[in-house]
Amino acid sequence: MKFFQSIGAKTIGKVTAVGRAALMLFGALIAVPRVKNIPLIIKQLYVVGVQSLLIIMVSGLFIGMVMALQGYTILVDYGAEGSLGPMVALSLLRELGPVVTALLFAGRAGSALTAEIGLMKATEQLSSLEMMAVDPLRRIVAPRFWAGMLAMPMLAIIFSAVGILGGHLVGVDWLGVDAGSYWSIMQSTVDWNQDVVNGVIKSLVFALVVTWIAIFKGYDSIPTSEGISKATTETVVYSSLAVLGLDFVLTALMFGIE
Amino acid sequence: MDHLVEVDNLTFKRADRIIYDGISLKVPKGKITAVMGPSGIGKTTLLRLIGGQLTPDKGDVRFGGNSIVSMSRKSLYETRRRMSMLFQSGALFTDMSVFDNVAFPLREHTKLSEDVIATIVALKLQAVGLRGAAQLMPSELSGGMARRAALARAIALDPDLIMYDEPFAGQDPISMGVLVKLIRELNDALNLTSIVVTHDVTEVLTIADYIYILADKRVIGEGTAQQIRESDSELVQQFLKGKADGPVPFHYPAPDLKASFLGADK
Amino acid sequence: MSKYKTEVMVGVFVMLTIGALLLLALKVANQTVATEGDTYTLYAKFDNIGGLKPRSAVKVGGVTVGRVSSITLDQEDFTPVVELSIQNEYSGFPETSSVSILTSGLLGEQYVGFQPGFSFDGVANLKNGDYLQDTKSALVLEDLIGQFLFNRGSDED
């Protein structure tokens, strides 16, 4: 009996949490376009975007370099090292760019968002906004949400571009793959809609999920030091799992069915 | 008699625990009303009920004659512009300077030019004695200063009602004295109505015009400072004198110690 | 000061993104208007398409003139029908043209090799929706090996 009761209680808890998350997002987005809020979005874009730039670019560079190195040692056995360009580019654009960016974003910006909003709640700043007749959903949540939605695809694009340049650095400059074939075979293989646009769509979906989880976890956290630390951990864990799971679904939808 | 806030037969439950069981309060216009009671009985909850942040299970809260409970979200936000609340921690926005904190409600709710806002902010900060600290960040303020800065922000829009949530908690005697003076002076100078929620008996008895004492989910005593002091209720006297045991028990409700040690409680 | 810095840095961020996007568009995906431009459609029936996929290139002497837009199976004679979208700028191929499925390199991708036929009087040009009559199927490695073994077997007799 106790067993079923605990399952039931957990299920109800989760379902109501999803409901609260949906209500929060709805409340935040219902009155979006206000000119007054644009500076707020820019400020958040700085916090979640610009401050994640360094980690994104360094990771992109190294991942591109490693892929070129690994790819080269495999492809050179078949005399197909000319295909290094498309290999690096396609892996980055379709998979690694959106996914790794989302994972890094969850760790770097998502956790910070949760902690910030959680602490605002703990220090009664959210309540205080409400009492000043300012809706915290619009003032605090909405700008952060839009900044996340904008920043993540931008970061993913930069990640892929830097990765391709990193691949060029290792493949062409160090291992001696022909620069012409690196770019030209890449160009003939990579398709704008199929690869670049689909990658951006992926990262938009990830942006929605990661930002949403991060903001909701902060907004819904128990306002104690323990509650906030738990919420921060959950943000990183849940968003990482959601990103990887969704990545499979999206890949199947975009590339799996012909 | 003119009442700005009326709490009428209000019942509020949190989960299964009853916080208030049919309490009624009246807050007269232009006066300082104190709500006292032991910690943990949800005095802050009462302020949130008045501010419309929580909804009671039964009963009604009226602000200036209009029911807060049945208000639409839009008119609730309209009404909130006429009230403000001073939170226990001050709740200053940590990413803005003191100046911007005080300017915040003005920028949100008015279309005043920056020059006018700067003047108003300077005046409000002058009133709480912090004009010199305008460019400091909240993290650089002491607890008492943070509360005064928050008070300046609370009066920025010239509200009708200010609710103070434990304004004296954790303050040294000097800051406490400053706050007592400020609450009294602001109330008289700006023709405000104030509700002070606290458990600091001595301070409150000096400034409050009318006092409610809450305990055990209901109002156990009310009256002017004089009437309260002379009350013959045991509860009120226990609270005023700070006796450890009395009608408010020292022990949190628990099974008998002997019985639970002998394993008889299951 | 800090507000100014924030705005500058966000500006840099946006410019970086645009730069990266341009790199992807021009250098990586070679996005030109032509790939999105007007095309016309030709059909070809093959016995076996091997590893040909939608989006494989259609080449004339190594120059890409279009892409395979879809591959379906004819419901009546159960042969694969390949739909080719050819860019409008490459038009006027005669009806006698032939297509074959070729492989770039030993293990490379498969593509459609388009061989323009001779044009003489009485031969019209290919139009939108026409079927190419002369097709050569993909070489399937297993068939080749089978043939090779069979031939060897018959040689020894």
Side-chain angles (χ1 to χ4, degrees):
Chain A
M1 245 356 222
K2 252 204 165 146
F3 174 69
F4 290 112
Q5 191 252 341
S6 79
I7 289 182
K10 277 209 180 107
T11 312
I12 291 170
K14 294 281 179 226
V15 171
T16 51
V18 170
R20 282 202 305 280
L23 280 178
M24 180 204 75
L25 195 65
F26 183 73
L29 304 186
I30 191 162
V32 172
R34 278 176 69 190
V35 184
K36 222 173 169 184
N37 284 347
I38 289 176
L40 291 175
I41 296 180
I42 289 180
K43 194 180 162 203
Q44 289 308 317
L45 211 49
Y46 177 78
V47 175
V48 298
V50 175
Q51 294 192 355
S52 310
L53 205 50
L54 188 67
I55 187 179
I56 290 291
M57 288 174 73
V58 171
S59 314
L61 185 70
F62 276 109
I63 285 186
M65 285 164 67
V66 167
M67 282 207 321
L69 203 54
Q70 290 277 18
Y72 181 80
T73 53
I74 295 167
L75 291 173
V76 79
D77 287 346
Y78 301 96
E81 67 266 28
S83 302
L84 190 65
M87 195 206 84
V88 171
L90 287 181
S91 332
L92 278 167
L93 289 169
R94 288 183 175 184
E95 281 301 321
L96 293 170
V99 172
V100 177
T101 304
L103 295 179
L104 290 172
F105 188 89
R108 167 67 188 74
S111 58
L113 276 180
T114 307
E116 191 194 12
I117 296 180
L119 273 170
M120 282 186 163
K121 190 177 181 187
T123 53
E124 295 172 318
Q125 293 181 45
L126 294 185
S127 277
S128 144
L129 273 174
E130 228 170 89
M131 286 308 296
M132 277 187 246
V134 177
D135 188 344
L137 287 177
R138 286 181 204 167
R139 169 82 201 188
I140 301 292
V141 171
R144 282 166 176 73
F145 178 79
W146 288 116
M149 288 295 287
L150 280 174
M152 175 114 60
M154 291 166 80
L155 290 170
I157 289 167
I158 294 174
F159 184 97
S160 300
V162 171
I164 289 168
L165 293 177
H168 184 273
L169 187 70
V170 169
V172 176
D173 297 339
W174 295 354
L175 297 174
V177 173
D178 179 51
S181 67
Y182 185 83
W183 291 117
S184 66
I185 301 184
M186 192 189 289
Q187 280 176 9
S188 67
T189 318
V190 175
D191 181 74
W192 176 259
N193 288 330
Q194 178 81 0
D195 301 316
V196 182
V197 173
N198 271 349
V200 172
I201 292 174
K202 264 191 181 180
S203 83
L204 271 172
V205 175
F206 296 158
L208 169 76
V209 171
V210 172
T211 321
W212 188 7
I213 290 179
I215 291 170
F216 175 68
K217 280 287 162 194
Y219 196 74
D220 202 49
S221 63
I222 301 156
T224 60
S225 40
E226 197 196 2
I228 292 169
S229 84
K230 189 167 161 258
T232 312
T233 314
E234 281 177 354
T235 292
V236 177
V237 173
Y238 289 0
S239 358
S240 305
L241 289 178
V243 164
L244 295 173
L246 269 175
D247 182 45
F248 177 75
V249 176
L250 288 174
T251 307
L253 286 176
M254 288 171 176
F255 305 108
I257 302 158
E258 289 191 343
Chain B
M1 182 85 195
D2 230 6
H3 296 293
L4 187 63
V5 178
E6 288 167 280
V7 177
D8 191 13
N9 194 25
L10 172 139
T11 300
F12 181 72
K13 289 184 209 143
R14 187 163 272 164
D16 286 334
R17 202 161 69 96
I18 296 173
I19 310 280
Y20 296 119
D21 190 6
I23 60 165
S24 299
L25 308 171
K26 284 191 171 127
V27 178
K29 217 171 220 168
K31 305 276 187 203
I32 298 178
T33 304
V35 177
M36 294 202 285
S39 323
I41 59 147
K43 296 188 295 293
T44 310
T45 308
L46 181 67
L47 297 187
R48 286 177 190 263
L49 284 162
I50 295 173
Q53 288 189 317
L54 297 171
T55 319
D57 292 280
K58 239 197 299 191
D60 199 6
V61 178
R62 280 187 296 276
F63 180 84
N66 303 317
S67 165
I68 296 269
V69 181
S70 51
M71 246 177 215
S72 74
R73 185 184 158 80
K74 190 159 172 279
S75 44
L76 178 63
Y77 270 82
E78 290 290 320
T79 310
R80 278 189 190 152
R81 295 190 192 184
R82 294 171 54 202
M83 47 171 103
S84 62
M85 182 153 161
L86 184 68
F87 286 84
Q88 203 167 341
S89 58
L92 292 170
F93 303 124
T94 41
D95 56 345
M96 301 177 193
S97 68
V98 170
F99 178 91
D100 289 328
N101 260 289
V102 179
F104 180 84
L106 297 165
R107 287 181 181 147
E108 278 297 316
H109 292 309
T110 66
K111 291 200 168 69
L112 298 173
S113 71
E114 276 300 308
D115 288 348
V116 180
I117 287 180
T119 314
I120 299 176
V121 172
L123 287 174
K124 302 290 176 188
L125 283 172
Q126 177 73 12
V128 298
L130 286 181
R131 197 162 48 84
Q135 292 313 319
L136 295 182
M137 295 301 283
S139 54
E140 298 167 301
L141 301 177
S142 73
M145 283 160 80
R147 234 166 269 193
R148 275 149 69 193
L151 185 54
R153 185 179 67 182
I155 56 171
L157 281 176
D158 295 319
D160 297 340
L161 171 75
I162 296 196
M163 296 184 273
Y164 299 89
D165 185 11
E166 301 278 9
F168 312 117
Q171 297 294 306
D172 64 77
I174 301 174
S175 333
M176 210 153 2
V178 170
L179 282 165
V180 169
K181 176 172 161 276
L182 273 177
I183 292 173
R184 184 77 252 178
E185 281 181 356
L186 288 176
N187 195 75
D188 298 345
L190 302 176
N191 198 20
L192 290 167
T193 304
S194 311
I195 302 177
V196 184
V197 152
T198 180
H199 48 241
D200 291 283
V201 177
T202 41
E203 282 72 30
V204 162
L205 290 180
T206 58
I207 55 166
D209 298 305
Y210 202 79
I211 297 165
Y212 285 95
I213 299 182
L214 297 179
D216 197 20
K217 300 162 203 156
R218 57 203 167 78
V219 178
I220 57 164
E222 59 178 291
T224 60
Q226 188 63 23
Q227 287 167 330
I228 290 283
R229 272 198 204 93
E230 287 163 2
S231 162
D232 50 6
S233 157
E234 258 186 86
L235 263 169
V236 173
Q237 288 305 326
Q238 186 201 355
F239 188 75
L240 288 185
K241 306 236 167 70
K243 290 182 201 155
D245 213 350
V248 175
F250 169 68
H251 290 289
Y252 191 84
D256 186 50
L257 182 69
K258 205 183 196 174
S260 65
F261 273 12
L262 294 175
D265 59 347
K266 260 204 174 167
Chain C
M1 192 284 293
S2 82
K3 194 174 178 190
Y4 179 72
K5 189 185 142 212
T6 306
E7 282 167 359
V8 169
M9 289 308 289
V10 171
V12 169
F13 180 35
V14 172
M15 289 317 291
L16 259 177
T17 312
I18 293 173
L21 205 57
L22 281 178
L23 178 89
L24 293 185
L26 301 177
K27 199 102 184 171
V28 177
N30 200 15
Q31 170 72 352
T32 44
V33 200
T35 47
E36 285 291 295
D38 297 331
T39 56
Y40 64 98
T41 307
L42 298 177
Y43 296 93
K45 275 188 182 176
F46 292 93
D47 292 334
N48 191 327
I49 57 158
L52 195 71
K53 292 182 181 65
R55 291 208 324 103
S56 295
V58 179
K59 294 181 181 179
V60 176
V63 179
T64 305
V65 298
R67 300 215 169 258
V68 173
S69 50
S70 76
I71 298 171
T72 50
L73 194 67
D74 190 313
Q75 289 296 327
E76 278 168 14
D77 53 10
F78 302 110
T79 50
V81 178
V82 176
E83 190 185 319
L84 311 169
S85 345
I86 312 290
Q87 289 161 30
N88 273 355
E89 56 179 300
Y90 304 110
S91 59
F93 295 116
E95 263 184 343
T96 51
S97 301
S98 66
V99 284
S100 46
I101 295 177
L102 304 171
T103 308
S104 52
L106 192 58
L107 295 160
E109 277 205 346
Q110 290 196 298
Y111 65 95
V112 177
F114 193 102
Q115 193 72 48
F118 294 107
S119 131
F120 40 85
D121 284 348
V123 174
N125 283 345
L126 287 166
K127 299 186 303 292
N128 189 30
D130 279 354
Y131 270 80
L132 284 150
Q133 302 302 329
D134 188 0
T135 63
K136 282 193 205 74
S137 288
L139 284 179
V140 178
L141 204 58
E142 289 86 337
D143 291 353
L144 269 184
I145 293 169
Q147 252 174 20
F148 176 69
L149 291 176
F150 182 74
N151 285 345
R152 270 185 62 118
S154 54
D155 281 352
E156 275 166 23
D157 278 344

